[in-house]
């Protein structure tokens, strides 16, 4: 690979932003790509048993169209700890005038019935409450709450001193039927929801995408001289066979790179075709933390490291690219294995 240096090289994030502006390529925060966060467990003794809370949040990504999801699971240690009429009050922290609101949420329950209790207007901003109803005390009560927050007091362009919101049980003794009435509020989750700036959010999404890709990228095995590959345990036909060029590189048709990318959208890989008068036809590929633009007519690739020339080669009118470059484009360059005895190359 011959690398051409240039003074105005842009790093990934700046390049991505310029691509979005110039070519209008839509990129959304993929909620489904977010790596599963860990639940925080808190057990609280009450009456003759205990109530256990499992809480989990996701970061709030400023300037992204995807809202986080917040989860609360409540489980009694044995049937009957939760009584008919009990109310559980929750409070989320505020940072001066910065806070988030839960306007609505869904509740699933088993063994008990739970519904939202409307709090006072003063407390609507960062308080929610649920009331317990039960007639059957033979089945263990479990309650699951799912909600999406709405953030107030923070501009999407803010970059510094962004808050982390915590989740508490409100122990106010004056509140009706408060199950956890006490002297002070009870902390359930200190980092229930982080607020990330646009730049931090972009880094977070890239890291999550990379993690998802590394976990789920399929094993692709190519055999030199054959026009097929093993996709996991399934054989798929190729239109053009794999070959070794004069530099000793295993080459695959560019057409099949496109096919692979299009079939890996479920793990966050994206490929777009583009044409302009200056560069001709090209492909833009997003995979994990990496971005590549493939200039077909110029036989070059651009990424955050620079522009690499003489990457593609033609054979019988077909454009080919090395499997090593394929691995780099898919952000798995450390997961390529050559089997000299079987003449196979495995990615993933």
């Amino acid at each position: 690979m011959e690398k051409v240096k240039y003074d105005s090289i842009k790093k990934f994030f700046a390049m991505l932003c310029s691509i979005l502006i110039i070519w209008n390529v839509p990129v959304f925060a993929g909620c489904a790509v977010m790596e599963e966060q860990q639940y925080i467990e808190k057990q609280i003794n009450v009456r003759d048993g205990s109530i256990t809370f499992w809480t989990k949040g996701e970061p709030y990504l400023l300037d992204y169209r995807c809202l986080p999801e917040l989860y609360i699971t409540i489980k009694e240690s044995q049937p009957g700890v939760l009584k008919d009429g009990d109310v559980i009050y929750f409070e989320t922290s505020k940072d001066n005038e910065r806070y988030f609101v839960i306007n609505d949420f869904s509740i699933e329950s088993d063994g008990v019935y739970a519904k939202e209790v409307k709090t006072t207007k003063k407390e609507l901003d960062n308080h929610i409450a649920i009331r317990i109803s039960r007639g059957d005390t033979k089945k263990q009560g479990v309650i699951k709450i799912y909600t999406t927050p709405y953030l107030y007091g923070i501009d999407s362009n803010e970059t510094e001193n962004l808050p982390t919101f915590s989740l508490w049980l409100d122990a106010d003794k004056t509140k009706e039927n408060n199950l956890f009435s006490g002297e002070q509020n009870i902390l359930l989750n200190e980092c229930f929801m982080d607020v990330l700036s646009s730049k931090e959010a972009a880094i977070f999404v890239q890291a999550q995408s990379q993690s998802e890709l590394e976990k789920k990228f399929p094993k692709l095995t190519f055999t030199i001289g054959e026009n097929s590959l093993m996709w996991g345990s399934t054989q798929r036909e190729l239109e053009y066979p794999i070959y070794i060029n004069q530099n000793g590189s295993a080459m695959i048709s560019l057409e099949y790179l496109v096919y692979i990318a299009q079939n890996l959208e479920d793990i966050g890989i994206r490929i777009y075709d583009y044409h302009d008068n200056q560069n001709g036809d090209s492909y833009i590929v997003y995979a994990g933390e990496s971005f590549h633009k493939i200039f077909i007519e110029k036989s070059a690739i651009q990424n955050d490291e620079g522009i690499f020339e003489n990457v593609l080669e033609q054979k019988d009118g077909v454009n080919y690219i090395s499997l090593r470059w394929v691995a780099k484009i898919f952000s798995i360059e450390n997961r390529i294995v050559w089997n000299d005895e079987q003449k196979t190359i495995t990615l993933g």
Side-chain angles (χ1 to χ4, degrees), residues 284-300:
I284 305 164
V285 185
Y286 300 93
E289 296 176 322
S290 71
F291 155 82
H292 290 80
K293 187 176 182 184
I294 305 169
F295 299 98
I296 299 173
E297 295 173 22
K298 292 185 175 182
S299 185

Side-chain angles (χ1 to χ4, degrees), residues 269-280:
I269 291 177
R270 297 290 182 268
I271 185 166
Y272 305 93
D273 55 10
Y274 180 75
H275 177 87
D276 63 47
N277 294 331
Q278 181 179 357
N279 298 304

Side-chain angles (χ1 to χ4, degrees), residues 9 42 51 61 77 86 93-94 97 111 120 166 184 194 198 220 222 224 229 240 256 267 279-280 303-304 339:
I9 181 69
K42 178 75 173 184
I51 305 292
L61 311 180
S77 57
D86 283 341
S93 62
K94 279 189 171 185
E97 296 303 314
T120 65
S166 54
Q184 57 185 8
D194 280 320
S198 297
L220 307 179
F222 304 85
I224 303 304
L229 87 156
Y240 308 104
Y256 212 73
I267 62 172
N279 298 304
N303 59 23
D304 63 324
N339 187 313

Side-chain angles (χ1 to χ4, degrees), residues 161-216:
N161 301 317
L162 293 171
T164 295
F165 296 106
S166 54
L167 176 68
W168 301 74
L169 286 173
D170 186 345
D172 189 343
K173 293 180 179 180
T174 67
K175 291 184 175 177
E176 178 185 10
N177 297 330
N178 189 347
L179 176 59
F180 295 102
S181 175
E183 298 299 325
Q184 57 185 8
N185 291 350
I186 301 170
L187 179 63
L188 293 179
N189 191 332
E190 186 173 7
C191 301
F192 194 45
M193 189 179 80
D194 280 320
V195 179
L196 302 183
S197 68
S198 297
K199 186 174 182 179
E200 291 171 332
I203 294 171
F204 174 82
V205 170
Q206 292 164 19
Q208 294 290 301
S209 296
Q210 180 68 29
S211 176
E212 186 80 359
L213 184 150
E214 290 178 357
K215 289 178 181 178
K216 298 184 178 180

Side-chain angles (χ1 to χ4, degrees), residues 115-293:
K115 68 175 182 178
E116 181 183 3
V117 176
K118 297 297 183 182
T119 55
T120 65
K121 289 184 178 180
K122 181 180 179 182
E123 294 178 336
L124 280 177
D125 286 346
N126 65 326
H127 288 71
I128 61 172
I130 58 170
R131 184 184 302 277
I132 309 300
S133 300
R134 82 179 307 162
D136 181 10
T137 58
K138 296 181 180 179
K139 193 171 185 180
Q140 191 174 33
V142 179
I143 304 165
K144 295 182 178 181
I145 301 172
Y146 310 87
T147 187
T148 298
Y150 297 87
L151 192 62
Y152 289 90
I154 300 178
D155 186 89
S156 63
N157 296 320
E158 289 191 45
T159 59
E160 297 181 354
N161 301 317
L162 293 171
T164 295
F165 296 106
S166 54
L167 176 68
W168 301 74
L169 286 173
D170 186 345
D172 189 343
K173 293 180 179 180
T174 67
K175 291 184 175 177
E176 178 185 10
N177 297 330
N178 189 347
L179 176 59
F180 295 102
S181 175
E183 298 299 325
Q184 57 185 8
N185 291 350
I186 301 170
L187 179 63
L188 293 179
N189 191 332
E190 186 173 7
C191 301
F192 194 45
M193 189 179 80
D194 280 320
V195 179
L196 302 183
S197 68
S198 297
K199 186 174 182 179
E200 291 171 332
I203 294 171
F204 174 82
V205 170
Q206 292 164 19
Q208 294 290 301
S209 296
Q210 180 68 29
S211 176
E212 186 80 359
L213 184 150
E214 290 178 357
K215 289 178 181 178
K216 298 184 178 180
F217 196 93
K219 183 174 290 187
L220 307 179
T221 301
F222 304 85
T223 302
I224 303 304
E226 295 187 5
N227 61 338
S228 64
L229 87 156
M230 294 301 297
W231 190 301
S233 59
T234 304
Q235 181 169 307
R236 301 193 184 186
E237 297 300 317
L238 306 179
E239 186 172 355
Y240 308 104
I242 310 300
Y243 72 93
I244 301 293
N245 69 4
Q246 61 183 3
N247 297 320
S249 296
M251 306 298 288
I252 184 176
S253 72
L254 184 61
E255 177 182 301
Y256 212 73
L257 177 146
V258 175
Y259 171 82
I260 294 171
Q262 291 173 339
N263 282 269
L264 293 177
E265 289 188 352
D266 61 329
I267 62 172
I269 291 177
R270 297 290 182 268
I271 185 166
Y272 305 93
D273 55 10
Y274 180 75
H275 177 87
D276 63 47
N277 294 331
Q278 181 179 357
N279 298 304
D281 293 331
S282 61
Y283 288 108
I284 305 164
V285 185
Y286 300 93
E289 296 176 322
S290 71
F291 155 82
H292 290 80
K293 187 176 182 184

